Amino acid sequence: MTTTWIPVEGALLAASLDPRKVAEKFTELGVVAELDWYESTSHLLGLTLLTNENDRVATIAKGDENFSAGMPIDKVVKELAATFKAEVWTGESWHDGVPEGTKFPKVKENTGGEVRSVEITRMPAASVPFVAVAEGVDLGCVELSEDARAIIRAGTEDEITSVVLLSDAPAISLQATNDDMRLVAIDAAYEGRSESMIIHSWNMTTRIVMGGWGPDEAPAGLLALARNKFGEDDAASRLVDILPSASRVEVENALVTPGRAGFDKMVKALGLPNEIKEFLAGQLPVADAAGMRFYPATDWTKAFGSSFDLMLESPTPENKVFNAYRTAVVEKPWLVRTWAALEGTLGGTLLTLSLRTSKKTGWTKLAGIVGGGLILDALMQVGLATYIRQRWQKLTTSK
């Protein structure tokens, strides 16, 4: 019978922690584990264990290549808490071994300054100006393909993290500061579930402890199996599902490459232009990226005008009715005027008939309402057609 191993996430928090000592403890216990930490906050370690349906952790002895069920996860948590005088939690198991009165090191304030964010999304281009006003942030937009675009913004850590993604799933966001480089993504297939987000930091150190095997001793095939169980390989496939044009091999390579080199590889793997790479590196202001449209967080009137211009200039297959209307207004204005005249004439006839009829019935009242509506619609058609032609002439003459 095949055992299903489920990753259970948690953390260790202590006044002082040495990730290498924690890894050695797992090796002593023979427990398979994944550790994540930032060098600046190594007293806080992310922890992921593999458990079966009976809440027993995956273990493996040195020289063995098969996972087996070990001690209950709650016992592992208590052992770690006692050994490292730490607060430890994984899943529903929790134990506090921190001595009373312990003082924790102060976490350094973020010195990264400006956070630069590039979000790859399928949000319609015409929606971007409205998002800029609604969120109160200046946005840039670069078209990547017919159904994908990059939305560019910059702000403080609080401003960016308070609204991680501007659009609905699926979307991928690359974020960079002077101190950190990270990826946040949501796959539509996982939306609404706790594991819906894909989060990766190129400044975070990740280590998989292969039970009783020492560092770099486990066979490559066994390590690959563990990575798969912890969901490391799943991240690449989910990112490619979000952006099919991305290279699966290059995405995988970027995820396993640490630091700035890995981040730059991800920019390339996602097919982003060099200007966006320069923006994320802090070498290029938002408004200076080539081929980018800039939408300041001004007011709704200007946002409406910008959105309307986009629909005129770059019609999409989804807007078939609007595309047909735009073609008629721009290329066959006489057709719109003729239709409006006929509509207005019919409306005037019905309204006159209703007003002149001495005996009012339900039908005559209805004729008056319909006639008034047709006249109003005809006037609106003429006004809208005039507005569209003016916007179109402005667009064509500015090129």
Side-chain angles (χ1 to χ4, degrees), residues 187-209:
D187 186 340
Y190 292 80
E191 189 175 11
R193 292 164 52 183
S194 59
E195 65 270 34
S196 64
M197 297 187 76
I198 307 168
I199 301 176
H200 182 85
S201 172
W202 280 270
N203 276 24
M204 178 179 284
T205 302
T206 298
R207 178 176 173 183
I208 295 179
V209 182

Side-chain angles (χ1 to χ4, degrees), residues 12-309:
L12 290 85
L13 175 64
S16 176
L17 280 176
D18 184 344
R20 292 173 299 177
K21 295 294 184 183
V22 177
E24 289 173 2
K25 182 64 178 179
F26 279 115
T27 300
E28 176 190 323
L29 297 173
V31 174
V32 180
E34 183 180 59
L35 301 175
D36 301 300
W37 71 92
Y38 287 101
E39 293 297 334
S40 60
T41 55
S42 59
H43 65 287
L44 172 62
L45 269 67
L47 167 65
T48 305
L49 301 176
L50 300 175
T51 63
N52 63 8
E53 66 275 8
N54 297 319
D55 288 332
R56 290 184 173 273
V57 298
T59 61
I60 187 168
K62 184 175 181 178
D64 198 355
E65 295 190 19
N66 295 305
F67 294 162
S68 59
M71 66 182 74
I73 190 171
D74 193 59
K75 187 175 180 179
V76 176
V77 169
K78 289 181 179 179
E79 180 79 15
L80 293 171
T83 301
F84 298 103
K85 296 180 175 56
E87 181 180 358
V88 186
W89 62 95
T90 56
E92 297 181 358
S93 299
W94 171 82
H95 193 76
D96 189 357
V98 178
E100 187 176 349
T102 297
K103 294 183 179 181
F104 292 92
K106 291 184 179 181
V107 179
K108 295 180 181 180
E109 294 185 4
N110 188 299
T111 58
E114 180 185 66
V115 180
R116 299 169 293 278
S117 171
V118 173
E119 182 174 332
I120 303 171
T121 175
R122 296 175 188 169
M123 177 195 297
S127 299
V128 179
F130 294 120
V131 173
V133 178
E135 298 295 338
V137 58
D138 296 342
L139 297 178
C141 184
V142 175
E143 295 297 317
L144 302 177
S145 64
E146 289 186 0
D147 63 346
R149 52 203 46 85
I151 300 177
I152 303 172
R153 58 176 169 147
T156 65
E157 185 75 28
D158 290 341
E159 289 171 342
I160 298 297
T161 56
S162 63
V163 185
V164 178
L165 294 175
L166 295 169
S167 59
D168 295 329
I172 301 172
S173 176
L174 291 175
Q175 301 169 7
T177 69
N178 295 336
D179 295 337
D180 193 18
M181 294 153 291
R182 56 185 180 259
L183 175 147
V184 180
I186 297 181
D187 186 340
Y190 292 80
E191 189 175 11
R193 292 164 52 183
S194 59
E195 65 270 34
S196 64
M197 297 187 76
I198 307 168
I199 301 176
H200 182 85
S201 172
W202 280 270
N203 276 24
M204 178 179 284
T205 302
T206 298
R207 178 176 173 183
I208 295 179
V209 182
M210 296 304 300
W213 291 89
D216 303 321
E217 290 183 348
L222 184 59
L223 181 59
L225 176 62
R227 284 181 54 83
N228 180 265
K229 297 295 184 183
F230 283 117
E232 294 293 335
D233 296 335
D234 186 48
S237 62
R238 289 173 61 188
L239 289 172
V240 174
D241 286 342
I242 296 173
L243 188 65
S245 61
S247 166
R248 169 68 183 270
V249 174
E250 290 184 10
V251 168
E252 289 179 340
N253 189 22
L255 289 173
V256 298
T257 304
R260 169 64 64 178
F263 187 72
D264 289 344
K265 286 182 178 181
M266 182 60 74
V267 172
K268 180 182 178 183
L270 297 178
L272 298 175
N274 189 59
E275 288 79 11
I276 289 183
K277 177 183 175 181
E278 292 178 356
F279 163 73
L280 287 169
Q283 301 169 354
L284 188 70
V286 179
D288 292 348
M292 189 199 72
R293 292 180 180 272
F294 183 67
Y295 303 106
T298 50
D299 57 63
W300 290 103
T301 302
K302 291 184 179 179
F304 178 81
S306 297
S307 178
F308 210 87
D309 288 346

Side-chain angles (χ1 to χ4, degrees), residues 326-340 385 389:
R326 179 191 68 86
T327 301
V329 168
V330 174
E331 300 178 9
K332 302 176 182 179
W334 58 268
L335 189 60
V336 177
R337 289 195 295 268
T338 301
W339 175 260
R389 282 197 300 274

